[in-house]
Amino acid sequence: MTTAPRLIRFPPERVLEDAAFGRGIIPSRLYALLLPVWEVEIRADITEGEDFSLIDRFLERGLRHGGLHTVDELAAFFALDRALVAQAVRFLAAIGHVEESVGRLSLTPLGQRSVDDDVRYVITRQDRRKLYFEALSCSPLTRAHYDQDVVTLLSGESLERALRADRYPRFTPIYATSGFDRAALQRLVGSKDRARFNLPVALDAVESLGEELVFLPVYLVRGRAGLLVYGQAEAGLAPDPELSELCGRTPELLSALDHEEATDDADERVLKVARNWLRQRGFDGVAPEQDDDGTWSVSLPATAFGADGLPVSRIGTYRMAGTRFFRVDCPDDTQRKHALLKRLDQNLGARRQVTRQEAEELVARLSRQLRLEAPTLSRLLGGAGRTGLSGLEAQLTRLEKEQR
């Protein structure tokens, strides 16, 4: 068996929890998809913006506003060593900020712009770099997708490994229906929202050296009220707003999902997986139930959880069955309250910088998930102490002290 590589930091069950209880969507399906992305290698003259060093800033301001035109004048005015000033001027000339004519120094237009904007602009000629466009509509990807330590764009062997995996989630590639639109490159080059799309200050003489189709792993959660896309670029467990909007307005993608749902006997699969899961744990007398919203759940007695049974933190969580899923529930209020404390300890106990607002938002979300009225932090503090959850107790104690 080829195990599916962990392409997204959060397991699909956690994604479903966030969609259902953090975003208010009633999930009906979760798809593991590989969205097509055009990786475009370009060659261009690149203008980057950097911070000035202290001496360089003063020297350029002296040339721009101080009526100074020689190394000797600059050294005398700023009370600097002449050799140091001469070395700095040579560097500024090398990056195109300073020029000399008939023994007099002056700023180039690039240097003047740098002084006026208080940004040291540097031009690199014939620079080569890669830009990324999702291939469904040729829209540029945002800056977060350029972090190679976080985002994995699949091609070649890594793509083949993902496609060979026979354990869920099995990632399904979505293929582009047309080639790269080079007009999209020109639109991006002219964009004013440069930081958002990981662009330098300026791109000139842009030439495309080639485009390659690569694939971005995402989870797509579909519900009655729309869909949410979870990828790798978000800092925490949260949907990607741009990719969610893109997928929601792409007819080819939605048609493919509709076709799969129409031809897939999903309810039978959920029932089969749920019954097997129950049987393996000795709950032959429990039957899966379909809720009013169409989702499935299994309701286990309080005795099913504890030291000799399932972890109490399993209450309220999802189990995957293909693209569908079922929830593990318990009618016992006491066990659900224990589950709330345990989940809070898992999420808050080891963290040191969580804010009160973050803690209260987490309590509210988990309470919705466990069908409980959200308790106050002071009430939870008492529960953490009684159940020996020392990490959670310390965290809540700190938050209560900060409140006072």
Side-chain angles (χ1 to χ4, degrees):
M1 177 179 290
T2 303
T3 302
R6 176 57 65 85
L7 299 177
I8 298 178
R9 288 170 292 167
F10 301 100
E13 295 84 358
R14 290 282 309 282
V15 170
L16 283 170
E17 291 179 21
D18 182 78
F21 306 107
R23 316 293 164 177
I25 187 174
I26 299 175
S28 59
R29 303 265 185 158
L30 182 143
Y31 298 93
L33 301 177
L34 298 175
L35 294 184
V37 171
W38 286 115
E39 182 182 77
V40 182
E41 185 175 10
I42 65 165
R43 181 165 55 206
D45 295 338
I46 305 293
T47 303
E48 302 273 15
E50 306 171 347
D51 291 333
F52 268 109
S53 67
L54 185 62
I55 292 177
D56 292 346
R57 176 184 284 112
F58 280 122
L59 295 182
E60 291 203 18
R61 288 177 65 86
L63 293 170
R64 177 75 165 145
H65 302 298
L68 307 174
H69 297 288
T70 66
V71 170
D72 289 335
E73 290 174 352
L74 289 167
F77 185 84
F78 291 111
L80 294 172
D81 179 75
R82 188 186 186 285
L84 177 63
V85 173
Q87 180 182 15
V89 167
R90 286 194 297 271
F91 169 75
L92 294 174
I95 65 172
H97 281 217
V98 173
E99 58 188 1
E100 183 177 4
S101 177
V102 196
R104 292 173 63 83
L105 301 174
S106 62
L107 291 179
T108 64
L110 182 65
Q112 294 174 14
R113 182 183 171 198
S114 295
V115 172
D116 295 343
D117 295 346
D118 196 27
V119 176
R120 187 170 72 188
Y121 295 120
V122 179
I123 297 178
T124 303
R125 304 291 181 184
Q126 298 290 286
D127 180 84
R128 294 172 68 145
R129 62 180 56 196
K130 292 178 179 178
L131 300 175
Y132 297 101
F133 300 77
E134 51 78 16
L136 298 177
S137 67
C138 275
S139 298
L141 293 183
T142 53
R143 174 185 289 273
H145 292 90
Y146 286 78
D147 187 346
Q148 296 181 357
D149 292 332
V150 175
V151 177
T152 304
L153 292 168
L154 303 179
S155 63
E157 185 178 345
S158 62
L159 176 61
E160 291 178 6
R161 284 200 304 271
L163 296 179
R164 286 198 307 267
D166 49 14
R167 179 185 299 173
Y168 192 83
R170 297 181 63 181
F171 282 86
T172 301
I174 304 297
Y175 291 101
T177 57
S178 60
F180 178 66
D181 178 11
R182 292 199 172 184
L185 177 57
Q186 297 306 317
R187 289 194 296 271
L188 177 61
V189 168
S191 172
K192 294 182 179 180
D193 201 355
R194 311 193 72 77
R196 180 167 176 249
F197 295 115
N198 200 47
L199 293 176
V201 173
L203 283 162
D204 298 298
V206 179
E207 176 187 3
S208 175
L209 301 179
E211 303 95 22
E212 179 186 358
L213 196 63
V214 296
F215 291 87
L216 175 67
V218 300
Y219 288 138
L220 186 151
V221 179
R222 201 175 192 190
R224 294 177 182 177
L227 58 81
L228 296 172
V229 174
Y230 292 76
Q232 301 170 321
E234 295 299 309
L237 179 54
D240 185 309
E242 285 84 8
L243 291 181
S244 298
E245 193 274 334
L246 162 72
C247 291
R249 60 176 169 80
T250 304
E252 300 90 342
L253 175 60
L254 297 178
S255 295
L257 299 182
D258 288 339
H259 176 73
E260 178 175 338
E261 292 173 14
T263 57
D264 181 24
D265 195 356
D267 285 338
E268 284 300 319
R269 178 180 297 180
V270 173
L271 286 170
K272 180 179 179 180
V273 172
R275 287 167 180 159
N276 286 340
W277 186 85
L278 289 166
R279 185 169 54 254
Q280 290 168 5
R281 287 156 182 79
F283 302 122
D284 300 273
V286 177
E289 301 173 356
Q290 190 166 30
D291 299 328
D292 293 339
D293 58 15
T295 59
W296 290 88
S297 63
V298 295
S299 184
L300 302 181
T303 54
F305 303 93
D308 297 326
L310 294 172
V312 70
S313 58
R314 188 72 61 82
I315 300 174
T317 61
Y318 289 95
R319 302 290 300 180
M320 297 304 304
T323 62
R324 294 285 296 274
F325 41 84
F326 62 92
R327 285 184 65 207
V328 178
D329 202 358
C330 178
D332 186 81
D333 284 352
T334 300
Q335 288 290 48
R336 296 204 308 276
K337 290 175 182 178
H338 286 164
L340 174 61
L341 287 169
K342 190 65 176 178
R343 290 291 297 272
L344 287 171
D345 183 59
Q346 292 170 350
N347 284 273
L348 299 180
R351 297 175 62 184
R352 294 294 178 264
Q353 299 301 319
V354 64
T355 65
R356 187 179 185 88
Q357 180 179 349
E358 290 171 335
E360 290 176 341
E361 288 175 353
L362 179 60
V363 169
R365 186 184 72 75
L366 289 174
S367 296
R368 288 193 296 272
Q369 184 174 343
L370 291 164
R371 297 185 291 112
L372 295 170
E373 183 177 345
T376 63
L377 296 190
S378 59
R379 186 176 176 185
L380 288 167
L381 175 58
R386 288 191 297 272
T387 52
L389 299 175
S390 57
L392 178 61
E393 184 180 18
Q395 185 74 270
L396 294 175
T397 299
R398 179 184 65 81
L399 293 174
E400 287 293 281
K401 288 181 177 178
E402 290 178 359
Q403 180 71 4
R404 292 194 289 267

